[in-house]
Amino acid sequence: MVSPDTFRSVIGRFASGVAIITAVDEAGVDHGMTATAFCSVSLIPPLVQVCVDQSTTMHRVLERGSHFVVNLLSSGQEELSRRFGSGETRRGGIAEEERFDGVGYTRGVSGAALLNDALAHIECQVFDRHVAGDHTIVVGEVELATAHDGRPLIYYRGGYTQLER
Ligand SMILES: Cc1cc2nc3c(=O)[nH]c(=O)nc-3n(C[C@H](O)[C@H](O)[C@H](O)COP(=O)(O)O)c2cc1C
């Protein structure tokens, strides 16, 4: 068995962009969660996937919800990534219900937050869900996608960085 520490250390060598997944629950409450386990899946139809830890609030929201937005973060949004990625049970974590305080956003067609200054907004309808270990792979069919000018925020080996060129 590969230990969790080894697994993290090895997977951390795979540099990625950073996304914040947003969704509105059945009571109309906003939710957001930082995720790097995101990738595209299919071109026709356009599908993306995100792996969501089953212990998170976002997991509960997407179990029942039909829509979510993937906000791809730009290089200036490290603070936002930390805010939506700390988990309230951890030290320094921000309570889930306070994460949107002071954060600028508009709303997509589903009502989910489109965060200001993101590099791209990908509006999805839930297409499929697959339980995989302690996560669920949530596949989304892309209904709307918008790209904006800017540079990406990069996550590598447990820290944030930026493209050099
Ligand atoms: C850089 C970064 C990447 C993360 N990627 C994921 C991910 O892909 N999937 C996931 O479920 N959680 C991921 N997390 C952890 C969640 O963002 C974190 O557990 C979440 O904020 C928990 O919120 P809650 O438990 O208060 O609902 C990541 C956190 C950070 C900081």
Side-chain angles (χ1 to χ4, degrees):
M1 271 285 272
V2 176
S3 73
D5 282 352
T6 302
F7 184 76
R8 272 198 207 97
S9 162
V10 170
I11 296 302
R13 261 75 173 174
F14 191 63
S16 69
V18 183
I20 293 179
I21 313 302
T22 53
V24 176
D25 69 17
E26 59 265 72
V29 176
D30 283 303
H31 297 275
M33 187 194 86
T34 299
T36 50
F38 164 77
C39 71
S40 65
V41 172
S42 158
L43 191 56
I44 300 169
L47 302 177
V48 296
Q49 70 170 45
V50 59
C51 299
V52 183
D53 189 320
Q54 286 157 16
S55 70
T56 60
T57 308
M58 185 54 71
H59 190 270
R60 179 180 59 72
V61 174
L62 293 183
E63 254 181 339
R64 291 192 283 265
S66 59
H67 288 80
F68 62 95
V69 169
V70 182
N71 298 267
L72 301 184
L73 299 191
S74 53
S75 54
Q77 295 185 302
E78 181 178 328
E79 170 50 33
L80 213 54
S81 173
R82 292 184 194 283
R83 168 181 275 262
F84 284 86
S86 55
E88 57 189 293
T89 51
R90 285 177 227 165
R91 236 178 100 221
I94 297 178
E96 221 263 335
E97 60 272 20
E98 289 169 15
R99 280 181 200 160
F100 284 90
D101 291 358
V103 174
Y105 61 89
T106 54
R107 291 196 183 278
V109 282
S110 71
L114 307 177
L115 301 175
N116 291 356
D117 304 319
L119 204 51
H121 297 115
I122 305 169
E123 299 186 52
C124 302
Q125 176 168 22
V126 174
F127 181 85
D128 216 345
R129 300 176 184 85
H130 305 274
V131 172
D134 56 9
H135 281 56
T136 297
I137 301 166
V138 180
V139 180
E141 179 159 11
V142 179
E143 296 185 322
L144 273 170
T146 329
H148 309 284
D149 287 336
R151 294 166 70 76
L153 180 63
I154 307 288
Y155 196 70
Y156 178 62
R157 293 188 71 179
Y160 296 92
T161 185
Q162 297 181 19
L163 291 180
E164 280 178 14
R165 61 179 176 85

